[in-house]
C-alpha cells in the first residue's frame, strides 16, 4: 500500500522495516494483527484504507520508549503536565503520536488523533478513531473474558463496541486499583448509555 506523500514520506514496506527494527517482535506482531483487524473493519464500514493502515501501524509506535524519555518530554512541554502521573499506558498514545509526527514526518491530523485516542477513547470519536480503538481491543491475540462479545459488537454496531470496550476497561482498571485518566472517564460517560446516538 502506498500512502499519499503529504501524509508521510514512507511506503508501507518502509514503515514496516522501521517498526520491526525498533520494536520487540511481540509488539511488531501485535501491530500487524491490529492493522489486519482494522482493515477488515475499514472494509466493513467503508473507511479510508490508507488512513486506517497508517494509524494501525503507528498506534503503538512509541510504546517501548523509556519512562525517562516521556518524562523529559513532559518537562519540556508543560501543556502535558497533567499526563505525568499516568505512566506509559497513557503516554504512549497521547505523546507517542507526537513522536511519530516529529520523527517520521507523519502529517495527517486524523491519523495523529486516532493514535492519541487509541488507548483512552474520547467524547468525540471519528470513524477512524473508533476503528483503531476497537481493532486494538479485539485483535486475534486478545484473550480476556468478554472479547468474543466485543468482536461480535464490532461488526454489528461500532458505537456499542466502543461503549462495551470502555466499560470493561474501566472495570478492569478499577479492580486493580489503577488510576483512571480523565479522558477515559469522559469517554465512558459519553458513550455508555448514548448507544446509537451517532
Ligand atoms: P496496547 O498498547 O496494545 O497494550 O493497548 P492500549 O494502548 O489500548 O492499552 C494499554 C493499557 O492502558 C491497557 O492495559 C489499558 O487497560 C490501559 N488503560 C486504558 N485506559 C486507561 C486509563 O485511563 N488509565 C490507566 N492507568 N490505564 C489505562
Ligand atoms: Fe497502545
Ligand atoms: Fe496496541
Amino acid at each position: 500500500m502506498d500512502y499519499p506523500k503529504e501524509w508521510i514520506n514512507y511506503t508501507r514496506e518502509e514503515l514496516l522495516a522501521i517498526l520491526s527494527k525498533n520494536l520487540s517482535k511481540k509488539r511488531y506482531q501485535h501491530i500487524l494483527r491490529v492493522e489486519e483487524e482494522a482493515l477488515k473493519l475499514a472494509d466493513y464500514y467503508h473507511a479510508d484504507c490508507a488512513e486506517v493502515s497508517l494509524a494501525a501501524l503507528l498506534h503503538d509506535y512509541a510504546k517501548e520508549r523509556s519512562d525517562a524519555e516521556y518524562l523529559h518530554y513532559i518537562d519540556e512541554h508543560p501543556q502535558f503536565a497533567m499526563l505525568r502521573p499516568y505512566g506509559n499506558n497513557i503516554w504512549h498514545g497521547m505523546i507517542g503520536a507526537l513522536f511519530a509526527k516529529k520523527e517520521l514526518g507523519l502529517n495527517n491530523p486524523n491519523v495523529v488523533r486516532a493514535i492519541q485516542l487509541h488507548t483512552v477513547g474520547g467524547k468525540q470519536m471519528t470513524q477512524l478513531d473508533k476503528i483503531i480503538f476497537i481493532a486494538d481491543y479485539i485483535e486475534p491475540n486478545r484473550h480476556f473474558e468478554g472479547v468474543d462479545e466485543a468482536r461480535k459488537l464490532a461488526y454489528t454496531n461500532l458505537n456499542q463496541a466502543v461503549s462495551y470496550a470502555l466499560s470493561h476497561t474501566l472495570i478492569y482498571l478499577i479492580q486493580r486499583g489503577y488510576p483512571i485518566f480523565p479522558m477515559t472517564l469522559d469517554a465512558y460517560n459519553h458513550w455508555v448509555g448514548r448507544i446509537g446516538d451517532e
Side-chain angles (χ1 to χ4, degrees):
M1 164 141 20
D2 282 341
Y3 307 118
K5 284 266 178 297
E6 308 78 60
W7 297 3
I8 196 159
N9 219 345
Y10 296 106
T11 64
R12 179 175 176 281
E13 297 310 312
E14 288 167 341
L15 270 188
L16 290 180
I18 293 172
L19 294 170
S20 81
K21 186 165 157 265
N22 291 295
L23 294 171
S24 64
K25 203 168 160 200
K26 177 177 137 237
R27 182 70 38 200
Y28 178 66
Q29 283 169 352
H30 161 71
I31 282 169
L32 290 181
R33 288 190 300 270
V34 171
E35 188 202 25
E36 201 178 327
E37 190 66 54
L39 285 172
K40 278 192 216 162
L41 289 165
D43 187 45
Y44 191 81
Y45 291 108
H46 310 293
D48 184 316
C49 291
E51 277 192 345
V52 166
S53 162
L54 191 54
L57 289 188
L58 296 180
H59 85 279
D60 278 341
Y61 168 73
K63 174 111 176 174
E64 294 178 349
R65 303 296 171 90
S66 67
D67 287 358
E69 184 172 350
Y70 282 114
L71 289 169
H72 177 74
Y73 186 89
I74 291 169
D75 286 342
E76 302 275 297
H77 299 83
Q79 69 270 35
F80 293 109
M82 52 97 64
L83 301 185
R84 181 178 263 277
Y86 294 96
N88 180 281
N89 278 359
I90 299 304
W91 299 338
H92 82 277
M94 297 299 291
I95 301 176
L98 306 179
F99 288 172
K101 218 173 140 174
K102 195 171 73 189
E103 296 167 13
L104 304 172
L106 172 63
N107 188 32
N108 174 321
N110 304 327
V111 171
V112 171
R113 175 191 159 87
I115 298 170
Q116 288 194 297
L117 298 191
H118 88 266
T119 309
V120 297
K123 275 198 276 210
Q124 266 143 24
M125 294 174 82
T126 63
Q127 187 188 53
L128 175 67
D129 298 336
K130 293 174 196 171
I131 286 175
I132 300 304
F133 182 77
I134 292 303
D136 190 27
Y137 193 67
I138 66 168
E139 63 97 336
N141 207 36
R142 301 284 195 206
H143 297 297
F144 55 87
E145 208 184 310
V147 70
D148 288 335
E149 176 67 11
R151 290 189 177 116
K152 203 176 83 194
L153 286 174
Y155 289 92
T156 49
N157 184 324
L158 205 48
N159 290 343
Q160 277 191 31
V162 168
S163 171
Y164 185 91
L166 284 166
S167 4
H168 285 254
T169 298
L170 273 183
I171 291 167
Y172 166 90
L173 294 168
I174 289 167
Q175 276 174 344
R176 282 162 187 74
Y178 292 139
I180 308 297
F181 187 58
M183 270 176 74
T184 312
L185 262 186
D186 280 350
Y188 170 83
N189 289 338
H190 179 82
W191 290 103
V192 173
R194 297 276 309 268
I195 292 161
D197 272 5
E198 41 205 309

